[in-house]
Amino acid sequence: MQESRGVRGVKSAARTVALLELLAERGERPSRLDQLAEDLGVPRSSMYQLLQTLVDAGWVRTDATGSLYGIGIRALLTGTSYLDGDRHVRTVRPYLDEASDTLGETIHLARLDGRDVVYLATRESHEYLRTISRVGRRVPAHAGALGKALLAERADDELPFIDWPLPALTENTHTGRTALLADLARVRERGYSIDREETVPGITGFGFALRYGTPAVDAISCSVPATRLTPEHEARIVSVMRDIRARIESRLPPAPGAPDWR
């Protein structure tokens, strides 16, 4: 049981959080009671009681047979509250619209969370539409433009990685320490990151850390199919996104009395 600021964790709360995170990670793949109990190392009877409590509260849903479990609608309501209550997200959203309209490409806002980035908002390109929302989804920080832009804001010895090599999403992902650190050095030099088909084959991304906090935890990016990316279009993307970043940062100095969220 981990301790935080001298306070011992509550076992039942930790178990509940672990269960919800596991169900959320599995998304459309429902889980059975025995599987959940085994994966979390919890007695079957305890897991059943926990699941029933969460089903009654709306945090977990079950099928008509009562044998399959998935994340419930309360998780969506809480996630929406997180986004609506964050002044940074509220401020950035109109700039995402502007960048998308100007460039005609897909624009993202994401936040660093440990070794991953989590998508907070997306504006899809009219040329390259996805049917599944990215909001709330996680991507390894080392593998994409958003994550690399934020990792580059930290010293090499402060990166959240212990074990190498890191997992590869494509054959272009930097998985070794030497390759990743060299890439982050280039990010610091040019002031933005480039993901050349390191997250998704056929997609190039450009990431820009938003420095209204130190170190930055939020970033914006522009994604474009590699087949449409010309040197002229790349230069325009960088110019527009740099301007968008500067205007966002000018709007978001620390607010008097605002909490310093951790």
Side-chain angles (χ1 to χ4, degrees), residues 150-162:
L150 292 167
L151 293 177
E153 296 291 304
R154 289 146 177 82
D156 290 346
D157 60 0
E158 295 176 348
L159 298 180
F161 307 118
I162 299 176

PDB file of all heavy atoms in Angstrom, residues 150-162:
ATOM      1  N   LEU A 150       6.304  17.598 -24.958  1.00  0.00           N
ATOM      2  CA  LEU A 150       6.275  17.766 -23.507  1.00  0.00           C
ATOM      3  C   LEU A 150       7.487  17.136 -22.835  1.00  0.00           C
ATOM      4  O   LEU A 150       8.026  17.675 -21.866  1.00  0.00           O
ATOM      5  CB  LEU A 150       4.979  17.184 -22.949  1.00  0.00           C
ATOM      6  CG  LEU A 150       3.730  17.970 -23.358  1.00  0.00           C
ATOM      7  CD1 LEU A 150       2.462  17.185 -23.048  1.00  0.00           C
ATOM      8  CD2 LEU A 150       3.700  19.328 -22.662  1.00  0.00           C
ATOM      9  N   LEU A 151       7.932  15.999 -23.317  1.00  0.00           N
ATOM     10  CA  LEU A 151       9.140  15.384 -22.756  1.00  0.00           C
ATOM     11  C   LEU A 151      10.345  16.295 -22.933  1.00  0.00           C
ATOM     12  O   LEU A 151      11.224  16.360 -22.066  1.00  0.00           O
ATOM     13  CB  LEU A 151       9.400  14.031 -23.423  1.00  0.00           C
ATOM     14  CG  LEU A 151       8.380  12.924 -23.155  1.00  0.00           C
ATOM     15  CD1 LEU A 151       8.744  11.678 -23.950  1.00  0.00           C
ATOM     16  CD2 LEU A 151       8.290  12.603 -21.670  1.00  0.00           C
ATOM     17  N   ALA A 152      10.399  17.010 -24.042  1.00  0.00           N
ATOM     18  CA  ALA A 152      11.530  17.899 -24.310  1.00  0.00           C
ATOM     19  C   ALA A 152      11.587  19.090 -23.364  1.00  0.00           C
ATOM     20  O   ALA A 152      12.626  19.746 -23.251  1.00  0.00           O
ATOM     21  CB  ALA A 152      11.471  18.394 -25.757  1.00  0.00           C
ATOM     22  N   GLU A 153      10.482  19.361 -22.663  1.00  0.00           N
ATOM     23  CA  GLU A 153      10.462  20.433 -21.676  1.00  0.00           C
ATOM     24  C   GLU A 153      11.123  20.006 -20.366  1.00  0.00           C
ATOM     25  O   GLU A 153      11.274  20.812 -19.454  1.00  0.00           O
ATOM     26  CB  GLU A 153       9.014  20.853 -21.393  1.00  0.00           C
ATOM     27  CG  GLU A 153       8.288  21.453 -22.579  1.00  0.00           C
ATOM     28  CD  GLU A 153       8.854  22.816 -22.959  1.00  0.00           C
ATOM     29  OE1 GLU A 153       8.891  23.703 -22.089  1.00  0.00           O
ATOM     30  OE2 GLU A 153       9.280  22.962 -24.127  1.00  0.00           O
ATOM     31  N   ARG A 154      11.514  18.756 -20.270  1.00  0.00           N
ATOM     32  CA  ARG A 154      12.137  18.221 -19.064  1.00  0.00           C
ATOM     33  C   ARG A 154      13.582  17.825 -19.354  1.00  0.00           C
ATOM     34  O   ARG A 154      13.916  17.478 -20.483  1.00  0.00           O
ATOM     35  CB  ARG A 154      11.347  17.000 -18.572  1.00  0.00           C
ATOM     36  CG  ARG A 154      10.002  17.394 -17.993  1.00  0.00           C
ATOM     37  CD  ARG A 154       8.924  16.374 -18.233  1.00  0.00           C
ATOM     38  NE  ARG A 154       7.669  16.804 -17.581  1.00  0.00           N
ATOM     39  CZ  ARG A 154       6.804  17.665 -18.105  1.00  0.00           C
ATOM     40  NH1 ARG A 154       7.028  18.197 -19.305  1.00  0.00           N
ATOM     41  NH2 ARG A 154       5.711  18.008 -17.445  1.00  0.00           N
ATOM     42  N   ALA A 155      14.410  17.855 -18.323  1.00  0.00           N
ATOM     43  CA  ALA A 155      15.783  17.404 -18.473  1.00  0.00           C
ATOM     44  C   ALA A 155      15.799  15.904 -18.739  1.00  0.00           C
ATOM     45  O   ALA A 155      14.882  15.175 -18.349  1.00  0.00           O
ATOM     46  CB  ALA A 155      16.588  17.734 -17.215  1.00  0.00           C
ATOM     47  N   ASP A 156      16.853  15.430 -19.401  1.00  0.00           N
ATOM     48  CA  ASP A 156      16.926  14.013 -19.739  1.00  0.00           C
ATOM     49  C   ASP A 156      16.821  13.120 -18.510  1.00  0.00           C
ATOM     50  O   ASP A 156      16.234  12.040 -18.576  1.00  0.00           O
ATOM     51  CB  ASP A 156      18.239  13.721 -20.480  1.00  0.00           C
ATOM     52  CG  ASP A 156      18.252  14.317 -21.888  1.00  0.00           C
ATOM     53  OD1 ASP A 156      17.177  14.716 -22.379  1.00  0.00           O
ATOM     54  OD2 ASP A 156      19.344  14.373 -22.484  1.00  0.00           O
ATOM     55  N   ASP A 157      17.389  13.562 -17.385  1.00  0.00           N
ATOM     56  CA  ASP A 157      17.340  12.720 -16.181  1.00  0.00           C
ATOM     57  C   ASP A 157      16.016  12.835 -15.436  1.00  0.00           C
ATOM     58  O   ASP A 157      15.831  12.200 -14.401  1.00  0.00           O
ATOM     59  CB  ASP A 157      18.500  13.052 -15.237  1.00  0.00           C
ATOM     60  CG  ASP A 157      18.497  14.498 -14.763  1.00  0.00           C
ATOM     61  OD1 ASP A 157      17.589  15.270 -15.164  1.00  0.00           O
ATOM     62  OD2 ASP A 157      19.401  14.874 -14.000  1.00  0.00           O
ATOM     63  N   GLU A 158      15.069  13.617 -15.953  1.00  0.00           N
ATOM     64  CA  GLU A 158      13.749  13.743 -15.349  1.00  0.00           C
ATOM     65  C   GLU A 158      12.659  13.055 -16.164  1.00  0.00           C
ATOM     66  O   GLU A 158      11.481  13.146 -15.833  1.00  0.00           O
ATOM     67  CB  GLU A 158      13.385  15.229 -15.182  1.00  0.00           C
ATOM     68  CG  GLU A 158      14.293  15.982 -14.209  1.00  0.00           C
ATOM     69  CD  GLU A 158      13.959  17.461 -14.141  1.00  0.00           C
ATOM     70  OE1 GLU A 158      13.185  17.933 -15.008  1.00  0.00           O
ATOM     71  OE2 GLU A 158      14.479  18.139 -13.246  1.00  0.00           O
ATOM     72  N   LEU A 159      13.057  12.344 -17.222  1.00  0.00           N
ATOM     73  CA  LEU A 159      12.068  11.661 -18.052  1.00  0.00           C
ATOM     74  C   LEU A 159      11.473  10.485 -17.287  1.00  0.00           C
ATOM     75  O   LEU A 159      12.161   9.822 -16.508  1.00  0.00           O
ATOM     76  CB  LEU A 159      12.721  11.168 -19.350  1.00  0.00           C
ATOM     77  CG  LEU A 159      13.291  12.262 -20.254  1.00  0.00           C
ATOM     78  CD1 LEU A 159      13.905  11.633 -21.497  1.00  0.00           C
ATOM     79  CD2 LEU A 159      12.217  13.264 -20.646  1.00  0.00           C
ATOM     80  N   PRO A 160      10.173  10.210 -17.497  1.00  0.00           N
ATOM     81  CA  PRO A 160       9.463   9.200 -16.694  1.00  0.00           C
ATOM     82  C   PRO A 160       9.661   7.771 -17.179  1.00  0.00           C
ATOM     83  O   PRO A 160       8.724   6.974 -17.201  1.00  0.00           O
ATOM     84  CB  PRO A 160       8.001   9.631 -16.840  1.00  0.00           C
ATOM     85  CG  PRO A 160       7.932  10.192 -18.225  1.00  0.00           C
ATOM     86  CD  PRO A 160       9.256  10.902 -18.427  1.00  0.00           C
ATOM     87  N   PHE A 161      10.893   7.431 -17.576  1.00  0.00           N
ATOM     88  CA  PHE A 161      11.159   6.095 -18.093  1.00  0.00           C
ATOM     89  C   PHE A 161      12.243   5.421 -17.264  1.00  0.00           C
ATOM     90  O   PHE A 161      13.235   6.048 -16.892  1.00  0.00           O
ATOM     91  CB  PHE A 161      11.593   6.153 -19.560  1.00  0.00           C
ATOM     92  CG  PHE A 161      10.635   6.904 -20.444  1.00  0.00           C
ATOM     93  CD1 PHE A 161      11.048   8.042 -21.112  1.00  0.00           C
ATOM     94  CD2 PHE A 161       9.324   6.480 -20.590  1.00  0.00           C
ATOM     95  CE1 PHE A 161      10.172   8.747 -21.916  1.00  0.00           C
ATOM     96  CE2 PHE A 161       8.440   7.181 -21.391  1.00  0.00           C
ATOM     97  CZ  PHE A 161       8.861   8.316 -22.053  1.00  0.00           C
ATOM     98  N   ILE A 162      12.033   4.146 -17.010  1.00  0.00           N
ATOM     99  CA  ILE A 162      13.007   3.357 -16.250  1.00  0.00           C
ATOM    100  C   ILE A 162      13.560   2.221 -17.108  1.00  0.00           C
ATOM    101  O   ILE A 162      14.766   2.022 -17.195  1.00  0.00           O
ATOM    102  CB  ILE A 162      12.367   2.789 -14.972  1.00  0.00           C
ATOM    103  CG1 ILE A 162      11.881   3.930 -14.073  1.00  0.00           C
ATOM    104  CG2 ILE A 162      13.364   1.902 -14.215  1.00  0.00           C
ATOM    105  CD1 ILE A 162      11.140   3.456 -12.838  1.00  0.00           C
TER     106      ILE A 162
END
